[in-house]
Amino acid sequence: MVDRSYQCKDVLILAYQSFGVLFGDLSISPLYVFKSTFSGNLSNYQSEDVIFGALSLILWTLTLLSLFKHVIILLNADDNGEGGIFALYSLLCRHAKFSLLPNHQTADEELSTYHNPRYSYRNLQSPTVKRFAERHKKAKTALLLLVLFGTCLLICVGFLTPAISIRSAIEGVKVRSSELHYGVVLIIACILLVGLFVLQHRGTYRVAFIFAPIVILWSLSIAAIGVYNILKWNPRVYKALSPYYIYTFFRDTRYDGWISLGGVLLCVTGAEAMFADLGHYTAASIRLSFFCIIYPCLVLQYMGQAAFLSKNFAAVSTSFYASIPDSLFWPVLVMATLAAIVASQSVISATFSIVKQCYAIGCFPRVKVVHKSKWFRGQIYIPEINWVLLVLCLAVTVGFRDINHLGNAYGLAYMSAMFVTTWLTALIINFVWGQSLVLALLFALFFGSIEIIFLSSSFIRISKGGWVPLVLSVIFMLIMFVWHYGSRKKYLYDLHNKVPMKQILTLGPSLGIVRVPGIGLIFTALVSGVPATFTRFLTNLPTFYQVAVFVCEKTVLVPYVPQKERYLIGRIGPKSFRMYRCIVRNGYKDVQKNEDDFENDLIMSIAEFIQLEAEGSGTLEGSVDGRMAVVRTSEKFGKRLEISKLERNGEASSSMPPTILNSSKSHILQYLQSTYEMESPGSTLRRRVRFKLQPDMNYRDPNVKDELLELVEAKQSGVAYVLGHSHIKAKMNAPCLKRFVIHVAYLFLRKNCRAPAVVLNIPQTCLIEVGMNYYL
């Protein structure tokens, strides 16, 4: 009983918090729905039946697409609690072989987050459609293109939402100040937009606590205004709940009524956010918020506007603000502006997350992803995307003098993204949930046909603003696909030209070179074998560090990888070679940690692997490429080595006596290091810990202690990062189109994106780049 009360309390808390993130966009739709619906020739139909018909269309669209599709059905299609287009794609790739990620391993399927216990159908016989898609690469590519197109549409929503929301809220001023020049409203909207984007880098953790009260107060206010208008102007508006008025609407308006659907669909803009941001909340909390507050408040507001318009049709262009009682106008205007800012903030943050997910699976150029420890989990900031969104947002705000054109672009982008989600969900129903193909088709045909009808109306408005999201989505998708194509070809070249392990083993423990103190981290996309970058380095400079670690950072199609399952450690060659392989597995929503933390975790993981290898799995002496082991799962982790923080004077803060290690650095190198640290204070932040062995630790094998001592000494000597600096060229006999893609498009993206060292936050003093020519 106590557990149940705690569960109810948690659901209520999450439901309260969800208002500030999920429902801002949906709750401000009444600002522009009726205005956009009656913007064309439909304004010539001023009968009560037509207004009731438009209201009936709005209510049933809100009910079918928001309530039934998203709240009741789609919230069940989560990926370990995460939602969105990438969650659907991830589920499909894990339950069917649809993934195009090149470095998949069987060990990835052993992750605790890889298989959802609710989906127990993966062992059933594969349906014919599934087997066909798994065998044909073109089908996998088509699925990826569909997902990328959906994400590009949502990126367009990322700059269209702030533009239409804030501008619609500010335009209410003209209702009370009719002589106010249009340019003044535009300047105020632009100032708010610039301020919104400029402050993105500071995060929302300081002000996020007021988001939920703003949206709740706004929702209750518009509901109260709706009830006021129903009672004052037309109590018979409840009749519009009957779908019969939809029939009379199209019977009377015909073609003009069909064209008006492009405005009606704006009532569901924001519904996709309930599923996309599912990871921050639970399905139960979202359903509670929607059923109890959002849905009834929106229904009452739309009914109140319709009741007002049935008696005051001349005010249709400003129906929301015109229907507000005079005494409440300015407070409601302020709340509308605040609600629009909250809605815009949520959409911008979701856009950052979408771009990060595209980048994680290799479908977006390298960008800088910022996450601060005091921010909420999952909250990130991408500077490049922020400024692109700002420029596009200002462009459409200023460029579209008629806000109805902005609504056309917004509605087309949102409905197209919902259509993509519908077909991905149909695949989930069949391939993941294990339901029949007939049920999946019924879902797709029912909701898809509704969305197609709305899209057909929106496409008529392409010349009136609808072209913006389509053109920009195609541009974004071309960027993504070109980057994915070039990156995949580069990986395949690395895979084809990797060095056989037997060739390395014949060189002996010294590898035929001079081994110097320190640790060398060789970054590669390969999960097995030795990259050509390493042998090229040895050819030009026949020396390397005493400890060599081949690091592969890759993305697994799960939202998050638990920290205790993140590192796969293995040994390359005999123990005397002191060569290891580390595969760092990240989910598509994982945020990269500080590089200092990565170094420390890596050293601790290798130390754990050395001890586990000696205690459990026996020796791998003489193996060509050792077995991989998931470390950090042992209860003994963290007891092999001890980490002590360094004070400003360089001494360890721990009171325990460290194991004595002779520094391998010469006096000249030590002097140069201390001089550099004095000149670059920021660099000292990377050397704030020291490793030492536990003094009371007993070792069965004395060689284990020697190897750990050597690892600790190498860490104290310094860590260097070895990255490939690639020069991409197309093969001489490549087709003209491929040569254009490689030489022009892909190289342009590479030159204008972040360098790998910048993304990994590697200081120049620790970086070694090895030039390589790639012929793709």
Side-chain angles (χ1 to χ4, degrees):
M1 188 70 180
V2 176
D3 292 340
R4 185 177 180 85
S5 63
Y6 275 116
Q7 290 178 358
C8 294
K9 181 179 179 181
D10 291 340
V11 170
L12 290 174
I13 292 174
L14 290 174
Y16 169 76
Q17 294 174 344
S18 68
F19 286 103
V21 177
L22 303 183
F23 301 111
D25 194 7
L26 190 63
S27 65
I28 60 172
S29 297
L31 290 175
Y32 42 75
V33 170
F34 275 104
K35 177 180 180 179
S36 183
T37 301
F38 287 91
S39 61
N41 293 332
L42 196 66
S43 59
N44 298 324
Y45 301 86
Q46 302 184 11
S47 66
E48 182 179 277
D49 286 348
V50 171
I51 295 174
F52 282 10
L55 173 63
S56 186
L57 270 172
I58 292 170
L59 296 181
W60 281 101
T61 301
L62 182 67
T63 301
L64 291 176
L65 296 185
S66 294
L67 192 150
F68 283 101
K69 179 190 170 184
H70 284 85
V71 177
I72 295 179
I73 299 176
L74 205 55
L75 290 182
N76 295 315
D78 65 287
D79 180 13
N80 291 285
E82 297 292 334
I85 286 182
F86 267 99
L88 299 177
Y89 180 66
S90 175
L91 283 173
L92 289 172
C93 290
R94 297 210 305 271
H95 290 79
K97 299 176 181 178
F98 292 161
S99 176
L100 290 175
L101 290 180
N103 49 13
H104 176 76
Q105 293 175 286
T106 305
D108 298 339
E109 300 180 10
E110 299 175 2
L111 289 170
S112 59
T113 53
Y114 197 88
H115 294 298
N116 193 321
R118 291 187 301 159
Y119 307 141
S120 58
Y121 304 99
R122 57 179 179 272
N123 296 323
L124 298 179
Q125 185 178 3
S126 300
T128 304
V129 178
K130 179 179 176 181
R131 291 198 301 269
F132 173 83
E134 291 177 342
R135 294 174 182 174
H136 293 79
K137 185 179 177 181
K138 291 183 178 179
K140 300 178 184 179
T141 304
L143 178 63
L144 178 62
L145 287 175
L146 180 65
V147 172
L148 293 182
F149 184 65
T151 58
C152 292
L153 289 167
L154 292 178
I155 292 174
C156 291
V157 170
F159 68 84
L160 289 172
T161 299
I164 191 173
S165 302
I166 293 179
R167 184 170 161 184
S168 296
I170 298 300
E171 283 195 347
V173 178
K174 297 178 66 176
V175 176
R176 287 293 184 270
S177 304
S178 57
E179 298 179 356
L180 189 66
H181 193 270
Y182 166 78
V184 176
V185 175
L186 204 59
I187 291 174
I188 296 174
C190 290
I191 291 174
L192 290 176
L193 289 172
V194 171
L196 177 66
F197 282 97
V198 167
L199 295 176
Q200 287 298 313
H201 73 283
R202 302 184 64 88
T204 59
Y205 69 100
R206 293 184 185 274
V207 295
F209 69 94
I210 65 172
F211 287 176
I214 288 174
V215 176
I216 293 175
L217 184 60
W218 164 254
S219 301
L220 295 177
S221 298
I222 61 176
I225 294 171
V227 172
Y228 167 81
N229 286 320
I230 292 172
L231 298 177
K232 179 179 181 179
W233 297 107
N234 196 342
R236 295 185 299 108
V237 75
Y238 72 89
K239 294 182 178 180
L241 296 173
S242 171
Y244 172 76
Y245 279 92
I246 298 178
Y247 164 74
T248 59
F249 175 81
F250 286 111
R251 183 194 63 190
D252 297 339
T253 60
R254 299 183 182 274
Y255 179 78
D256 294 329
W258 173 62
I259 295 297
S260 70
L261 292 178
V264 173
L265 64 85
L266 293 176
C267 69
V268 293
T269 53
E272 198 75 13
M274 289 187 288
F275 179 58
D277 294 326
L278 174 61
H280 299 287
Y281 309 98
T282 62
S285 62
I286 295 174
R287 289 182 176 124
L288 179 64
S289 303
F290 187 81
F291 281 123
C292 296
I293 302 293
I294 299 299
Y295 183 73
C297 288
L298 288 176
V299 169
L300 290 174
Q301 167 55 213
Y302 287 126
M303 291 177 67
Q305 273 197 66
F308 174 80
L309 287 176
S310 65
K311 305 300 181 182
N312 304 273
F313 191 81
V316 67
S317 60
T318 57
S319 59
F320 176 80
Y321 285 107
S323 64
I324 300 174
D326 293 342
S327 59
L328 297 177
F329 177 81
W330 292 109
V332 171
L333 177 64
V334 172
M335 282 193 295
T337 305
L338 293 175
I341 293 174
V342 171
S344 302
Q345 172 60 48
S346 301
V347 172
I348 293 170
S349 298
T351 305
F352 292 154
S353 180
I354 290 170
V355 172
K356 194 271 172 190
Q357 294 170 40
C358 292
Y359 164 67
I361 67 170
C363 292
F364 203 87
R366 290 183 294 267
V367 292
K368 182 179 181 181
V369 179
V370 179
H371 173 76
K372 299 180 181 179
S373 57
K374 54 189 174 182
W375 289 4
F376 303 112
R377 181 192 179 189
Q379 183 184 4
I380 59 175
Y381 167 68
I382 304 178
E384 300 94 324
I385 302 303
N386 185 64
W387 305 125
V388 169
L389 291 178
L390 173 59
V391 171
L392 293 175
C393 190
L394 292 177
V396 296
T397 302
V398 176
F400 288 137
R401 185 177 181 87
D402 188 353
I403 196 173
N404 292 316
H405 291 182
L406 194 55
N408 296 337
Y410 184 45
L412 180 59
Y414 228 116
M415 189 55 67
S416 299
M418 292 180 71
F419 185 69
V420 172
T421 303
T422 296
W423 284 98
L424 290 176
T425 307
L427 296 177
I428 293 290
I429 292 173
N430 185 227
F431 295 161
V432 180
W433 294 355
Q435 302 299 324
S436 65
L437 180 62
V438 175
L439 184 62
L441 288 176
L442 286 176
F443 173 87
L445 291 176
F446 178 74
F447 291 106
S449 60
I450 296 175
E451 291 159 355
I452 279 289
I453 292 173
F454 282 107
L455 283 174
S456 64
S457 173
S458 296
F459 280 123
I460 299 298
R461 302 186 178 195
I462 285 182
S463 60
K464 298 180 179 180
W467 59 271
V468 171
L470 294 180
V471 171
L472 291 177
S473 294
V474 170
I475 294 174
F476 291 148
M477 191 171 67
L478 287 176
I479 292 173
M480 292 182 181
F481 190 74
V482 166
W483 185 263
H484 174 76
Y485 175 81
S487 301
R488 183 174 176 82
K489 287 294 183 181
K490 183 174 176 291
Y491 171 82
L492 294 176
Y493 183 90
D494 279 332
L495 189 64
H496 183 264
N497 291 276
K498 69 179 181 179
V499 180
M501 281 304 307
K502 293 183 178 180
Q503 180 178 338
I504 299 294
L505 294 176
T506 56
L507 300 176
S510 66
L511 300 180
I513 58 174
V514 178
R515 303 292 288 268
V516 298
I519 298 178
L521 304 182
I522 305 99
F523 280 77
T524 175
L526 302 176
V527 295
S528 63
V530 176
T533 306
F534 181 65
T535 56
R536 183 173 180 84
F537 177 87
L538 299 183
T539 302
N540 291 274
L541 185 64
T543 183
F544 204 74
Y545 297 95
Q546 67 188 87
V547 176
V549 184
F550 293 89
V551 181
C552 172
E553 285 201 68
K554 71 171 190 175
T555 299
V556 184
L557 285 173
V558 295
Y560 298 101
V561 175
Q563 183 64 26
K564 64 180 181 179
E565 302 177 36
R566 189 175 303 277
Y567 292 92
L568 268 176
I569 305 294
R571 190 186 296 278
I572 297 179
K575 294 181 179 180
S576 58
F577 279 54
R578 299 296 190 260
M579 296 172 63
Y580 309 93
R581 185 184 306 282
C582 174
I583 298 177
V584 186
R585 301 180 292 184
N586 298 307
Y588 56 81
K589 296 198 74 173
D590 274 320
V591 180
Q592 190 172 7
K593 297 175 64 178
N594 184 283
E595 203 59 35
D596 291 323
D597 297 333
F598 169 73
E599 284 185 11
N600 299 336
D601 289 347
L602 180 61
I603 299 303
M604 296 293 281
S605 299
I606 294 176
E608 176 73 359
F609 169 78
I610 292 171
Q611 187 70 9
L612 288 177
E613 180 188 42
E615 292 181 355
S617 59
T619 179
L620 296 175
E621 191 75 37
S623 64
V624 174
D625 198 350
R627 290 168 287 175
M628 307 294 292
V630 179
V631 298
R632 305 199 69 149
T633 55
S634 171
E635 294 179 355
K636 300 178 181 180
F637 181 79
K639 298 182 180 180
R640 317 297 184 188
L641 301 180
E642 180 180 318
I643 299 180
S644 58
K645 295 183 179 181
L646 295 181
E647 304 294 345
R648 289 180 180 265
N649 58 7
E651 296 298 328
S653 61
S654 175
S655 60
M656 295 185 64
T659 302
I660 301 300
L661 292 171
N662 296 324
S663 177
S664 301
K665 293 184 180 179
S666 66
H667 294 293
I668 296 177
L669 288 177
Q670 293 178 15
Y671 171 76
L672 291 175
Q673 177 180 333
S674 61
T675 303
Y676 170 75
E677 291 180 354
M678 291 177 62
E679 295 177 351
S680 305
S683 66
T684 58
L685 298 176
R686 297 181 56 82
R687 301 179 175 87
R688 62 178 185 269
V689 299
R690 174 175 292 166
F691 289 91
K692 55 187 177 183
L693 296 184
Q694 288 282 4
D696 56 347
M697 197 73 180
N698 295 323
Y699 300 93
R700 299 179 183 177
D701 187 352
N703 294 327
V704 173
K705 184 176 182 180
D706 294 339
E707 190 171 0
L708 290 175
L709 283 172
E710 188 172 345
L711 178 66
V712 173
E713 182 178 2
K715 174 63 172 69
Q716 292 184 190
S717 297
V719 178
Y721 294 76
V722 181
L723 275 69
H725 185 79
S726 53
H727 300 272
I728 308 296
K729 296 181 180 179
K731 295 179 180 179
M732 295 297 295
N733 58 347
C736 293
L737 180 59
K738 181 178 180 180
R739 292 173 66 86
F740 174 81
V741 170
I742 298 297
H743 286 165
V744 179
Y746 184 60
L747 287 184
F748 174 80
L749 294 177
R750 281 175 56 85
K751 291 179 181 179
N752 291 277
C753 70
R754 299 272 183 171
V758 176
V759 174
L760 295 172
N761 195 27
I762 300 174
Q764 292 296 319
T765 54
C766 302
L767 175 64
I768 301 175
E769 291 187 303
V770 182
M772 286 284 295
N773 289 324
Y774 285 78
Y775 295 93
L776 308 182

